[in-house]
């Protein structure tokens, strides 16, 4: 069963009411995902429209060019759509357009930052499953962070997590800074 979660403090980033920690037995998800998909659709449609308008203005609009421009706009859409992140008690999943990856957060063995241009948090469980998540998803969605934090604390207590305490502490500090900024903005102390 899936429920929407709300909290009393407005979320300064999105301009709407924020979310609270989920009650046990519910699923938390990235509430900003739909907005990101709309943005990807808008960018792809704008690119397609501009390219077709430029071809039409130049008198070079053919079926082959329409097909190529559509393929280019579709590629842009695929690149811009973020994976959908969801979490429940003991699991976290990231579903892209083609595949879904799920990791057992109650059996995590490592959490680390990925190397590369885009910052990612890489979670690996005892079964060898792996999920990469943009840390901004956790910063923007406290319910997701709470689910992950609960399970990772249990993994640390049980001694199953071999590495990753530093990465989780860094992410927790980032989320705490964001929460403090939101509180200051709402209270007018900024």
């Amino acid at each position: 069963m899936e429920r929407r979660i709300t909290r009393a403090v407005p979320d300064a980033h999105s301009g709407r009411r924020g979310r609270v920690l989920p009650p046990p037995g519910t699923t938390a998800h990235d509430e900003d995902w739909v907005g990101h998909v709309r943005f990807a659709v808008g960018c792809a449609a704008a690119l397609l429209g501009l390219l077709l308008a430029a071809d039409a203005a130049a008198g070079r609009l053919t079926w082959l060019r329409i097909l190529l421009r559509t393929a280019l706009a579709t590629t842009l859409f695929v690149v811009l759509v973020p994976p959908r992140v969801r979490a429940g008690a003991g699991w976290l999943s990231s579903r892209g357009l083609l595949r879904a990856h799920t990791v057992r957060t109650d059996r995590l063995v490592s959490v680390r930052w990925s190397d590369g241009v885009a910052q990612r948090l890489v979670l690996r469980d005892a079964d060898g499953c792996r999920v990469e998540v943009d840390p901004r998803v956790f910063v923007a969605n406290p319910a997701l962070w709470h689910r992950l934090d609960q399970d990772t604390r249990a993994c640390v207590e049980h001694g199953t997590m071999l590495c990753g305490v530093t990465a989780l502490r860094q992410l927790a500090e980032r989320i705490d800074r964001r929460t403090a900024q939101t509180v200051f903005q709402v209270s007018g102390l900024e």
Side-chain angles (χ1 to χ4, degrees):
M1 179 164 100
E2 193 172 313
R3 292 188 229 166
R4 287 202 160 257
I5 310 299
T6 59
R7 68 177 169 170
V9 179
D11 185 3
H13 175 68
S14 63
R16 60 173 189 224
R17 287 299 224 191
R19 291 139 322 252
V20 289
L21 308 177
T26 61
T27 301
H29 60 279
D30 180 4
E31 299 210 5
D32 298 330
W33 182 78
V34 173
H36 293 294
V37 171
R38 284 188 193 126
F39 176 75
V41 168
C43 287
L47 177 67
L48 180 62
L50 288 172
L51 291 174
L52 292 178
D55 283 345
R60 295 182 163 193
L61 192 61
T62 65
W63 286 107
L64 180 60
R65 282 184 174 267
I66 293 172
L67 183 63
L68 290 173
R69 303 307 190 215
T70 303
L72 185 62
T74 302
T75 303
L76 178 65
F77 172 75
V78 169
V79 168
L80 290 179
V81 171
R84 183 161 199 181
V85 179
R86 298 174 52 148
W91 60 272
L92 184 131
S93 72
S94 175
R95 178 181 262 315
L97 289 176
L98 301 177
R99 297 190 321 184
H101 298 280
T102 303
V103 68
R104 295 279 312 264
T105 53
D106 57 351
R107 298 178 42 142
L108 286 175
V109 293
S110 72
V111 177
R112 64 179 176 80
W113 295 107
S114 69
D115 296 328
V117 176
Q119 196 174 37
R120 297 280 186 250
L121 194 65
V122 180
L123 302 115
R124 187 178 301 272
D125 66 13
D127 300 326
C129 298
R130 178 181 157 202
V131 169
E132 291 185 27
V133 180
D134 186 341
R136 291 178 296 187
V137 171
F138 295 116
V139 172
N141 295 282
L144 281 172
W145 168 245
H146 180 68
R147 283 282 181 215
L148 178 64
D149 188 46
Q150 276 184 326
D151 289 338
T152 54
R153 286 177 192 263
C155 290
V156 169
E157 288 175 9
H158 294 109
T160 58
M161 187 174 301
L162 305 174
C163 66
V165 176
T166 304
L168 290 170
R169 188 177 64 242
Q170 290 171 342
L171 182 58
E173 289 170 359
R174 193 169 164 185
I175 291 169
D176 289 344
R177 275 193 307 273
R178 169 71 187 277
T179 303
Q181 288 173 345
T182 302
V183 169
F184 285 140
Q185 287 174 347
V186 168
S187 64
L189 296 174
E190 186 180 46

